[in-house]
Amino acid sequence: MQRLAVRQLAEFVFRQGDLHPARYARGVEAAEGIACQQKIQERRRQGSSAFESEVSVRADVEIDFTPTRLAGRIDGLFRGAQGVWRIEEYKTTRALEVDLSPIDWAQCLIYAGLLTQQQSLERIELAVIYVHPESLAEQIFERSICATTAQVSLAFALLCYEARRRLHRLRCERRTLWMQARDFPFERYRSAQRSAARKVYRTLENGEHLLLEAPTGSGKSMATIYPALKFMRSEQQLFFLTNRSTGAEAALKSAGFIADSSNCLSVVQITAKEKTCRSGGVPCEPQDCARCKNYFARAPYAVNHLLGMGVVDRSKLQQVAEEFVVCPYELSLDLAHWADMIIGDYNYLFDPFVKLQRFLDSGQNLLLVDEAHQLSGRVSEMLSAELAVDAKAALLESPSDDFSFAANEVFRQIRGLAETTSTDPMRVIERPLQLEASAQRLIDSVESLKSFDDLEAESLTLYFACLRWVRSLEWFQDGRYKHLSVQHPRGFSIQRLCLDSSEYIEGVLNSHAASIRLSATVSPLDLYQRLHGCAGEQAERAASPFNVNQTAVLIVRDIPTYFRQRSSSLPKLSELVNGLVEAQPGRYLIAFSSYSYLEAFAEQHGPVGHLFRSQKSGESTEDLQNHKRAVEREPSVVFGVVMGGSFSESIEFGAGQLSGVIVVGLGLPPPTLQRDLVVEHFNELAGAGWGQLVAYTQPALTKVIQMAGRLVRSEHDRGVICLVDERFLQPQMQGFLPAHWTISNLLLRQVKSKVRAFWRMT
């Protein structure tokens, strides 16, 4: 039997009005509201023996052929001696003047309908009472209605709910039947793609959590999305989370191939509000933005329209939002409630501070996590927090003396913890309990203001930083976090650093019916399973669809790339690049570990006699696309990029576009206190050596493999991968390299002949 809460029904049927209605008083925390409600209930209890609190009401009904229990608890109930009973619903607010919420009133109506079904009552009194949490002053909205009105209101709410749920069920059933009959959208599977798709299907069917490694260019997006949609039960949803916008584009493309022109499949991409908003910086307030004004009256019609449009990307979303005059970002969230597949960033499910509350009850949903090699690092960042202050920061101006005092106290605490006469500007400190208390006092002072509009931008920035710091205590765990103080030329900061997010990731994955984490670079598998909290779960490498003869993988061991030897490496790198281009003219990427290394190569020792261009620091997305188009236009060109940048992952030059990729150095991140703390944590947790793998080797080798993955994108591509550094031969490095690579260990003087021999092969 499914369950339906009274509040849920009231919100579903009776929500109306503006998006983001103005708030004129400090908000009320959940615990604070419960405490206030208990005080009111105790006061009522002492005043009348006829009063009862937390009275359960329920009814077993059938909604769209599904047995459903509608249930709730009445905050306060007076059983009148003359047969007239009174229902009271308590809501806590600091607003001095409130308007009656239609949802709060509807909740009372539904309670009345349930109660009059159980009791022989002719009339019943309803009261929604807004209570100030400190003064306990009450603002009362009350009315007497007959039992018939109460029961008709209940029947109306259930009818509205059932009608929408039935439409949703019928659409889902059509989708399920259509997907069951839907053939693979291409003429044939790529090599090894079918076996990967079968593994994904079985994993979802068994309710398991799989880590899947599949080579770049093997069609892993389609090999996961197609079987997941094929498996999905009638009212399940599929989440596809990615770390980059290019990954979302690949998922949209795959979903588009599957959906074709049928529109039987509803897919929505959720993008950040600032990327979808077309209001030109207008505040998200009903009085300023027409898309917020009376949003809930128009949004349902826009959602229904989009459900018939198939795959909805940002462009379609903005077009329909314009037509119905609604906020495109909020529209994407409302559509996601009903869509079959939702595509978005990791943070929509993993960031505890900004995750979408409407998807917290995700127990029956399926989850695909793309670029899974990035998951642990991203989630650790989400779980971390920082409070910073500028060295020249003065007391922030504020209409509130309380805020000014609290802000000054936060500044003083941060400076006191971070200032040091030591030569080391970064130190590990104990958990700063006094700073936490000061941050909470600042939050309280801001919440007591009538409007955030009273604060300047700097004050708001400080408020939100304090809010995140205090909220982060909800997921804080001793042993998995460290606190750092940092002093730098611009100011001071205190950091709460998450060292290990594995347990949190495990919880999110297990809150779904089943999940697939996929990437081209999750070797060694045991390492990533530990980072994701899934040491006992299954992991698998998909077979490579590529022939070993498609790629020549060369480790050039006599060009040192250590930091102090970079200047001496530049002439040899130029010789290497010239030799490759002379052996086989074509398009080559050469990837460096930093912009300074790339710039030094470009200025002093670029390829002699060959066209060369390079990525620059701080370039826009448009600049990067211009580079891509320019490289594709030239029959022979060397393009210098930086590992870990936009040209490392999720960018397609197209089949046969590249002849080779040269990776210069390991790209190990520079030593930092933060990374050394991670080393210490994982060495203690998993054994000696694990910390170095997690903190330094894994992020470096991931960039290397992703860079090399730009080369072979189809079964017909051929090319050369040069790994320039003798350290690639070390056993711990070899464990990160793709299992399907056949590697040659060469000196620089041997490369040219080896490459010529490779290209002579048919």
Side-chain angles (χ1 to χ4, degrees):
M1 176 179 288
Q2 71 177 6
R3 296 183 178 275
L4 175 62
V6 168
R7 183 70 184 184
Q8 180 185 352
L9 178 61
E11 289 179 344
F12 183 88
V13 177
F14 294 95
R15 184 182 295 279
Q16 56 184 277
D18 301 333
L19 188 63
H20 310 308
R23 197 185 78 179
Y24 298 105
R26 172 186 168 189
V28 177
E29 297 293 330
E32 195 175 24
I34 292 171
C36 178
Q37 177 178 299
Q38 290 172 345
K39 291 177 184 178
I40 292 294
Q41 289 169 335
E42 181 59 28
R43 188 160 73 178
R44 294 288 199 272
R45 192 176 293 110
Q46 291 178 359
S48 173
S49 60
F51 177 80
E52 296 180 45
S53 62
E54 303 299 324
V55 178
S56 295
V57 287
R58 71 184 191 189
D60 291 339
V61 297
E62 190 173 86
I63 296 179
D64 190 26
F65 308 110
T66 302
T68 303
R69 174 160 292 173
L70 174 63
R73 288 179 178 271
I74 300 173
D75 290 344
L77 176 65
F78 287 91
R79 299 178 185 267
Q82 283 75 38
V84 178
W85 292 12
R86 177 182 173 90
I87 292 174
E88 292 189 342
E89 180 67 20
Y90 309 126
K91 302 297 179 185
T92 311
T93 178
R94 287 187 169 85
L96 299 178
E97 295 183 10
V98 297
D99 294 323
L100 176 62
S101 162
I103 297 175
D104 296 341
W105 186 252
Q107 190 172 354
C108 258
L109 276 173
I110 295 169
Y111 284 145
L114 293 171
L115 193 62
T116 54
Q117 284 183 351
Q118 299 173 7
Q119 304 290 335
S120 298
L121 301 173
E122 293 184 2
R123 298 196 66 80
I124 190 165
E125 293 179 355
L126 309 182
V128 176
I129 302 173
Y130 297 95
V131 186
H132 193 284
E134 281 87 30
S135 68
L136 299 185
E138 299 179 6
Q139 299 178 65
I140 303 175
F141 297 86
E142 56 189 349
R143 183 182 173 188
S144 174
I145 64 172
C146 67
T148 301
T149 300
Q151 292 183 24
V152 167
S153 298
L154 172 60
F156 171 77
L158 289 171
L159 179 63
C160 292
Y161 183 81
E162 180 178 38
R164 188 64 188 85
R165 295 299 307 179
R166 178 170 296 184
L167 283 174
H168 179 61
R169 175 182 60 80
L170 292 173
R171 192 194 65 77
C172 289
E173 288 177 353
R174 286 195 300 271
R175 178 213 74 208
T176 302
L177 290 172
W178 176 80
M179 272 305 304
Q180 287 174 353
R182 179 72 170 107
D183 291 331
F184 192 68
F186 299 108
E187 184 177 343
R188 63 180 181 86
Y189 285 90
R190 295 183 187 180
S191 174
Q193 196 179 35
R194 183 190 294 273
S195 61
R198 284 175 175 165
K199 181 64 176 178
V200 168
Y201 190 95
R202 287 196 300 270
T203 297
L204 301 179
E205 188 175 40
N206 295 333
E208 297 170 335
H209 302 279
L210 170 69
L211 177 63
L212 177 65
E213 183 179 75
T216 299
S218 63
K220 60 182 178 294
S221 293
M222 186 63 76
T224 51
I225 293 173
Y226 175 72
L229 291 172
K230 196 86 168 172
F231 167 77
M232 270 174 61
R233 302 304 179 241
S234 180
E235 294 197 33
Q236 281 185 316
Q237 289 182 296
L238 173 66
F239 284 85
F240 187 98
L241 301 186
T242 182
N243 188 50
R244 291 175 177 265
S245 58
T246 44
E249 291 166 7
L252 281 168
K253 188 176 180 180
S254 295
F257 282 127
I258 296 169
D260 200 10
S261 58
S262 68
N263 289 339
C264 288
L265 185 66
S266 176
V267 180
V268 60
Q269 178 188 14
I270 301 177
T271 328
K273 181 183 291 187
E274 58 269 20
K275 293 183 179 180
T276 56
C277 180
R278 287 186 167 182
S279 295
V282 173
C284 295
E285 303 291 346
Q287 64 270 23
D288 299 311
C289 180
R291 292 173 174 81
C292 293
K293 186 69 176 175
N294 208 20
Y295 170 87
F296 293 107
R298 298 185 297 273
Y301 300 98
V303 168
N304 286 338
H305 185 69
L306 286 167
L307 284 170
M309 294 182 68
V311 179
V312 177
D313 57 12
R314 190 193 311 172
S315 176
K316 282 185 181 179
L317 190 73
Q318 289 172 326
Q319 176 187 339
V320 172
E322 192 79 22
E323 179 182 347
F324 287 86
V325 196
V326 292
C327 170
Y329 175 71
E330 292 292 335
L331 180 61
S332 70
L333 300 183
D334 286 340
L335 175 60
H337 183 77
W338 303 104
D340 304 311
M341 178 177 175
I342 300 103
I343 300 170
D345 187 83
Y346 290 166
N347 60 5
Y348 292 119
L349 289 183
F350 282 97
D351 190 330
F353 195 72
V354 301
K355 64 184 177 183
L356 300 175
Q357 298 299 312
R358 66 190 73 195
F359 296 120
L360 290 183
D361 185 17
S362 55
Q364 68 170 351
N365 293 332
L366 309 176
L367 177 60
L368 304 182
V369 181
D370 190 27
E371 305 292 355
H373 58 279
Q374 300 281 10
L375 182 61
S376 176
R378 273 291 305 279
V379 175
S380 292
E381 290 176 7
M382 295 171 190
L383 298 179
S384 299
E386 181 179 31
L387 284 173
V389 58
D390 191 280
K392 299 178 181 179
L395 184 62
L396 297 175
E397 293 186 7
S398 163
S400 163
D401 290 339
D402 289 342
F403 175 84
S404 299
F405 177 82
N408 190 46
E409 182 65 15
V410 169
F411 289 172
R412 188 184 69 79
Q413 290 279 348
I414 294 174
R415 284 195 178 100
L417 289 165
E419 277 186 315
T420 178
T421 57
S422 168
T423 56
D424 188 354
M426 183 180 294
R427 297 173 294 129
V428 177
I429 61 174
E430 295 296 320
R431 178 179 166 184
L433 298 176
Q434 290 184 338
L435 177 59
E436 289 173 7
S438 298
Q440 183 62 63
R441 283 194 291 271
L442 185 139
I443 294 169
D444 293 341
S445 71
V446 172
E447 295 284 358
S448 67
L449 298 174
K450 289 186 177 181
S451 172
F452 284 157
D453 293 340
D454 295 333
L455 293 177
E456 300 294 330
E458 291 182 8
S459 299
L460 276 176
T461 299
L462 178 61
Y463 164 74
F464 285 117
C466 288
L467 186 64
R468 177 153 197 138
W469 184 274
V470 172
R471 280 282 312 278
S472 69
L473 293 172
E474 296 175 13
W475 52 86
F476 172 79
Q477 291 179 300
D478 281 324
R480 294 179 182 268
Y481 288 80
K482 289 289 184 181
H483 290 89
L484 307 180
S485 69
V486 184
Q487 179 179 353
H488 49 79
R490 299 184 305 280
F492 313 93
S493 69
I494 305 300
Q495 299 176 0
R496 176 173 288 142
L497 178 67
C498 177
L499 306 174
D500 180 4
S501 57
S502 58
E503 187 172 306
Y504 182 87
I505 293 173
E506 179 188 19
V508 175
L509 296 177
N510 287 337
S511 70
H512 293 77
S515 69
I516 309 291
R517 289 157 289 135
L518 59 143
S519 173
T521 51
V522 281
S523 287
L525 294 174
D526 288 347
L527 171 65
Y528 285 92
Q529 289 289 66
R530 184 177 290 276
L531 290 176
H532 298 164
C534 298
E537 297 286 350
Q538 56 177 332
E540 182 164 311
R541 287 190 182 94
S544 173
F546 308 125
N547 189 291
V548 293
N549 296 324
Q550 288 182 251
T551 310
V553 183
L554 317 177
I555 294 180
V556 184
R557 67 177 184 270
D558 59 342
I559 303 181
T561 65
Y562 293 93
F563 183 80
R564 294 180 180 178
Q565 297 175 293
R566 285 181 178 177
S567 295
S568 61
S569 73
L570 295 175
K572 292 185 176 183
L573 287 173
S574 183
E575 181 183 345
L576 172 65
V577 173
N578 287 326
L580 290 172
V581 179
E582 289 169 9
Q584 178 69 28
R587 304 179 189 88
Y588 291 83
L589 296 183
I590 180 167
F592 293 84
S593 57
S594 68
Y595 281 104
S596 60
Y597 202 178
L598 169 58
E599 289 165 3
F601 176 76
E603 291 172 4
Q604 300 178 33
H605 297 278
V608 179
H610 304 293
L611 182 61
F612 180 78
R613 62 186 297 132
S614 64
Q615 179 184 5
K616 302 292 190 300
S617 177
E619 288 184 322
S620 66
T621 302
E622 184 179 353
D623 293 330
L624 298 174
Q625 290 300 320
N626 288 336
H627 280 309
K628 179 176 179 292
R629 286 189 286 268
V631 169
E632 291 173 340
R633 283 196 302 268
E634 297 293 338
S636 185
V637 59
V638 178
F639 180 36
V641 301
V642 172
M643 282 187 277
S646 298
F647 284 93
S648 295
E649 295 188 38
S650 301
I651 190 164
E652 296 276 0
F653 277 95
Q657 291 291 319
L658 298 178
S659 298
V661 173
I662 307 154
V663 179
V664 181
L666 294 177
L668 289 170
T672 64
L673 176 57
Q674 291 95 326
R675 291 190 182 278
D676 289 344
L677 290 171
V678 173
V679 171
E680 181 182 319
H681 170 79
F682 277 95
N683 280 347
E684 290 180 4
L685 182 72
W690 274 90
Q692 181 71 23
L693 286 177
V694 173
Y696 289 98
T697 310
Q698 181 264 337
L701 270 294
T702 293
K703 293 178 182 179
V704 170
I705 307 307
Q706 288 289 324
M707 195 72 249
R710 300 311 97 203
L711 179 62
V712 175
R713 311 296 292 181
S714 79
E715 297 174 9
H716 307 291
D717 293 348
R718 298 190 75 215
V720 176
I721 297 171
C722 276
L723 306 179
V724 183
D725 197 302
E726 64 178 356
R727 287 173 291 178
F728 284 114
L729 296 170
Q730 295 174 1
Q732 64 266 39
M733 305 301 171
Q734 294 273 312
F736 285 87
L737 302 183
H740 63 275
W741 279 5
T742 300
I743 298 172
S744 298
N745 174 6
L746 302 175
L747 299 171
L748 172 60
R749 59 182 173 79
Q750 299 173 304
V751 170
K752 194 171 182 178
S753 60
K754 181 74 173 180
V755 171
R756 280 179 172 164
F758 168 77
W759 286 111
R760 283 197 297 266
M761 294 172 58
T762 56

